[in-house]
Amino acid sequence: MAPDKEKETPCVGYRHGPPWVFKGSALYQLHLVKASTARAFVPRDLRLVEAFGYTLGGMFLARYHDSPAGAFDELVVIAGIVWDPPTSCAWAARVLVNSVEACRHGRKEVGLPSHVATFSKLSHGGQAEASALGSKPLVKSNGFLSVLGIGSTVPEQENRREIEISETKGSSTKHLCNISMPLTGSHNKHHKWMGPAIRMSLPSFSGQTEDHPDLLKYSCKVECRVRPVSPARIWNPRITEPQECSDGKINSAGPKVLADSDAQSQSISVLLSKPIFALEFSSLRMHVDAPKIVVPHCKKKEVGYSST
């Protein structure tokens, strides 16, 4: 079912928030992303955190065994980091979920560029084992990273697990990327080092979409155990090189004029950029607050100057 065919009535689970609570596990991976690529998504009123022509983007790949929309998988493509003095916020280029309810909520309530997708697990030989991970019950004890091979008890000769992610719209499907996850930790789960328990807040900007024309800001409060892992390998076997922004018009105009097909291509460019490091989040519990309308800092300064 395509997102535009959904009913406007919110999912029963989402009615109990905000904050909305998500439980599961995830891989948080940062990449060096060309500033020109990130600017295709970021509104022109916001300033990128950049140096030498690059910003920090990447991905947040999660499997939730419990959420307001039930169990589902999510890939958040992070275009880059944006200044919000005295701190900074992430900007999502694209959000892929294999849940229609989660997609609707992301678009209607949070102002995210959410799309429905399938997450297909591939065998060691590269063949799909399921049309979507969400087509089978998600068992809490296995966890997202175990399904993909991180810290699992798979045979020793198999050192990576791969998933294929494809966007779906109506009856059509378009391949986005393949992600190969490393096997880390001991095969004996009783001796696996889970990392220290931490609490942190991940502020993000959203909005300036068809559903939410205003600029929004929301925060994810995260409790989890975290440890460094080898970065996942990401590629698109159906294209040879990532596509760059064609000219400055898209960069300066912002995401409102970025066609969906262009946005998807630029999202692939973000994913194919150079990884810096990766963190595994296990025993993840994430509280997502309702977004608030904000005024860019540069506009606040302009108003201040004009008033004097």
Side-chain angles (χ1 to χ4, degrees):
M1 179 186 298
D4 55 357
K5 300 295 185 181
E6 304 158 23
K7 295 181 180 180
E8 295 297 325
T9 304
C11 174
V12 174
Y14 285 112
R15 295 175 184 171
H16 299 155
W20 300 286
V21 180
F22 300 79
K23 301 176 185 178
S25 50
L27 179 73
Y28 184 52
Q29 186 162 305
L30 287 180
H31 294 196
L32 275 179
V33 179
K34 287 185 178 180
S36 59
T37 300
R39 287 194 191 104
F41 299 99
V42 176
R44 60 174 175 263
D45 294 327
L46 300 179
R47 187 159 61 95
L48 277 176
V49 178
E50 61 177 296
F52 306 106
Y54 289 88
T55 184
L56 284 178
M59 70 172 186
F60 182 80
L61 180 61
R63 157 165 283 197
Y64 305 112
H65 60 71
D66 185 20
S67 81
F72 71 93
D73 305 302
E74 177 181 53
L75 171 63
V76 181
V77 182
I78 304 169
I81 306 298
V82 179
W83 284 114
D84 182 34
T87 181
S88 58
C89 293
W91 187 276
R94 208 167 189 84
V95 178
L96 288 304
V97 292
N98 59 352
S99 164
V100 172
E101 292 291 352
C103 179
R104 190 215 67 83
H105 174 77
R107 281 180 171 271
K108 303 293 184 181
E109 304 298 329
V110 192
L112 290 171
S114 298
H115 299 264
V116 177
T118 59
F119 290 66
S120 305
K121 185 174 68 172
L122 304 182
S123 66
H124 185 61
Q127 299 299 316
E129 294 181 357
S131 59
L133 294 179
S135 63
K136 295 183 178 181
L138 304 182
V139 182
K140 179 179 178 180
S141 60
N142 287 342
F144 174 71
L145 297 173
S146 295
V147 170
L148 297 182
I150 293 181
S152 64
T153 55
V154 298
E156 292 188 6
Q157 67 270 20
E158 186 175 8
N159 59 4
R160 299 188 78 88
R161 286 286 180 89
E162 182 182 336
I163 58 172
E164 182 179 86
I165 301 176
S166 301
E167 283 192 33
T168 61
K169 188 173 183 179
S171 59
S172 64
T173 299
K174 185 174 182 180
H175 176 266
L176 183 72
C177 69
N178 285 33
I179 301 178
S180 180
M181 309 289 290
L183 295 179
T184 60
S186 170
H187 290 304
N188 187 338
K189 64 181 180 180
H190 299 293
H191 294 88
K192 177 184 175 182
W193 182 63
M194 304 273 299
I198 66 167
R199 292 184 179 183
M200 62 181 177
S201 178
L202 299 175
S204 299
F205 280 126
S206 62
Q208 297 216 340
T209 62
E210 183 178 349
D211 294 298
H212 279 283
D214 294 310
L215 179 67
L216 306 176
K217 182 180 179 181
Y218 67 98
S219 179
C220 300
K221 296 179 176 63
V222 175
E223 300 176 23
C224 65
R225 302 189 72 92
V226 61
R227 64 173 184 147
V229 294
S230 300
R233 293 202 298 257
I234 308 170
W235 73 97
N236 186 324
R238 305 182 190 185
I239 62 175
T240 55
E241 296 181 357
Q243 300 178 15
E244 300 294 340
C245 298
S246 57
D247 52 47
K249 294 181 181 179
I250 292 179
N251 294 340
S252 62
K256 285 188 177 181
V257 298
L258 193 62
D260 189 64
S261 59
D262 293 330
Q264 186 184 69
S265 297
Q266 297 299 338
S267 297
I268 295 174
S269 295
V270 172
L271 291 172
L272 297 181
S273 57
K274 182 178 178 59
I276 302 302
F277 69 91
L279 297 173
E280 173 191 326
F281 291 174
S282 59
S283 303
L284 172 67
R285 183 182 179 91
M286 183 168 65
H287 295 249
V288 180
D289 295 324
K292 297 180 180 179
I293 298 176
V294 297
V295 177
H297 184 69
C298 58
K299 284 192 174 182
K300 291 180 182 178
K301 292 180 66 177
E302 290 171 5
V303 171
Y305 288 139
S306 62
S307 65
T308 59

